[in-house]
Amino acid sequence: MPAATETTAVQGGATGFSSLHPDIINFHVLTRLDGPALASAACCSTTLRRQISSDENLWSKICHSTWPSTASPQLSHFISTFPDGGARAFFSNAYPISSADDGHRTSPIPPPPSELISAVDIHYKDKLIFTKIQETETVTGWFRCSPLRIDLLEPKDVVPTPIEHPAGDDACAEMIDGMRLSWILIDPIGRRAVNLSSHKPVAAQRHWLTGEVQVRYASILAADHQGHVQCGIVVTCGESEGGEMQVREVSLEIEDMDGTHLNGKDSLVFLQGALEGKKGTGKNRVEEGQRR
């Protein structure tokens, strides 16, 4: 019998990441990552940093999947014009929680924005139940003199959802565990953005008579030599006749540490400070939001 022969594989070193075809990286690797993972990947190599930083379409998709409200044509185009990176720059502004740093400014204070845009998204157990974009003028006498309150729904408006409304004594705990909110405030002139939400609720309360559950989010804002204030966001949910959850209120107010509501003029000082201030890294933002 002829001697048995042994087939051996061609020996060689492991394929380097930089040697992969760009299409494989773009369509089979990077598209599977979320925003924080993309930012981390960009630190791994020069090739990745160059690809990730320059891919506007990739970051646009990340923004749209993270915040469905940003997918509207008008807002999507506006985000693409953000300086120093378009959608990537917008994500770096809107994803982290504001640092609430009231350190002294070294640059001149720009004029306050004449208009603010709110891009709001609410998820319950990973399902989108509310999304809206609303513009707020800041130059009217009514805005400047009245207590600041941004309402996204009229008093009698409700937004139906296909989700069963939690009932009983565990309703508040279920809301805190399952509901996530993002409220991105955008300065369309200065091309700046900040997320005013704590992401996860800081409190929830059920009305003993109506059964409505009021969920609260909060963040701490600061301004130069002005101290700190609390930005509070309230989401009120009720139950329909069929037992489904309805969103009945989504509102934002600002109050000082004594609980006094600020008017629009004074609130604008702190909102401007948040827009211009330092942003966190986005790491552990849920825990950081609740701690503050």
Side-chain angles (χ1 to χ4, degrees):
M1 289 181 63
T5 60
E6 180 177 316
T7 302
T8 59
V10 177
Q11 294 183 353
T15 302
F17 193 87
S18 59
S19 65
L20 292 176
H21 193 280
D23 287 348
I24 295 178
I25 298 175
N26 290 335
F27 299 113
H28 297 283
V29 178
L30 299 183
T31 55
R32 299 175 183 270
L33 305 180
D34 60 12
L38 272 179
S40 298
C43 300
C44 295
S45 73
T46 303
T47 301
L48 277 178
R49 182 162 58 251
R50 182 170 55 252
Q51 286 183 265
I52 293 173
S53 299
S54 61
D55 195 334
E56 175 69 16
N57 185 55
L58 176 63
W59 282 103
S60 293
K61 291 180 178 179
I62 290 292
C63 288
H64 298 168
S65 62
T66 307
W67 308 295
S69 59
T70 63
S72 69
Q74 180 181 4
L75 192 54
S76 183
H77 172 73
F78 166 75
I79 289 173
S80 69
T81 65
F82 258 59
D84 302 323
R88 178 179 57 84
F90 177 84
F91 187 91
S92 68
N93 274 251
Y95 186 81
I97 293 175
S98 176
S99 68
D101 182 10
D102 61 350
H104 302 305
R105 290 181 56 90
T106 58
S107 57
I109 299 176
S114 59
E115 181 186 29
L116 295 171
I117 299 175
S118 296
V120 181
D121 299 286
I122 304 175
H123 290 80
Y124 184 72
K125 295 183 177 180
D126 297 326
K127 294 181 179 179
L128 182 68
I129 62 172
F130 182 91
T131 181
K132 187 171 183 179
I133 299 171
Q134 181 159 308
E135 300 176 0
T136 303
E137 293 186 356
T138 65
V139 294
T140 63
W142 177 87
F143 173 88
R144 297 178 68 84
C145 298
S146 303
L148 175 68
R149 181 182 172 95
I150 301 177
D151 281 295
L152 300 188
L153 291 174
E154 296 295 330
K156 294 184 179 181
D157 289 348
V158 297
V159 177
T161 75
I163 299 173
E164 181 180 356
H165 184 68
D169 297 335
D170 296 331
C172 292
E174 288 189 40
M175 288 289 200
I176 290 178
D177 289 340
M179 187 171 285
R180 300 292 180 268
L181 176 142
S182 169
W183 189 307
I184 303 175
L185 192 73
I186 304 168
D187 171 10
I189 304 300
R191 297 296 194 271
R192 299 166 298 179
V194 65
N195 204 319
L196 298 175
S197 176
S198 53
H199 188 63
K200 185 177 180 180
V202 296
Q205 185 176 5
R206 182 175 182 268
H207 193 280
W208 66 275
L209 181 59
T210 65
E212 289 184 334
V213 178
Q214 190 179 75
V215 185
R216 293 183 174 273
Y217 301 79
S219 60
I220 303 300
L221 309 180
D224 236 5
H225 307 292
Q226 302 292 325
H228 295 80
V229 296
Q230 176 177 278
C231 177
I233 300 171
V234 173
V235 178
T236 301
C237 295
E239 184 177 356
S240 69
E241 293 182 357
E244 293 86 9
M245 181 189 297
Q246 295 178 332
V247 181
R248 299 178 177 176
E249 175 194 5
V250 183
S251 63
L252 179 147
E253 295 179 303
I254 295 181
E255 59 184 35
D256 62 21
M257 293 298 113
D258 295 325
T260 302
H261 291 280
L262 273 63
N263 61 25
K265 178 182 178 181
D266 294 337
S267 297
L268 201 56
V269 174
F270 291 93
L271 293 176
Q272 187 175 9
L275 286 164
E276 298 174 5
K278 297 178 180 178
K279 306 296 191 300
T281 61
K283 184 179 180 181
N284 300 324
R285 62 174 182 159
V286 174
E287 294 79 2
E288 180 65 8
Q290 286 194 303
R291 181 187 68 81
R292 293 183 184 177

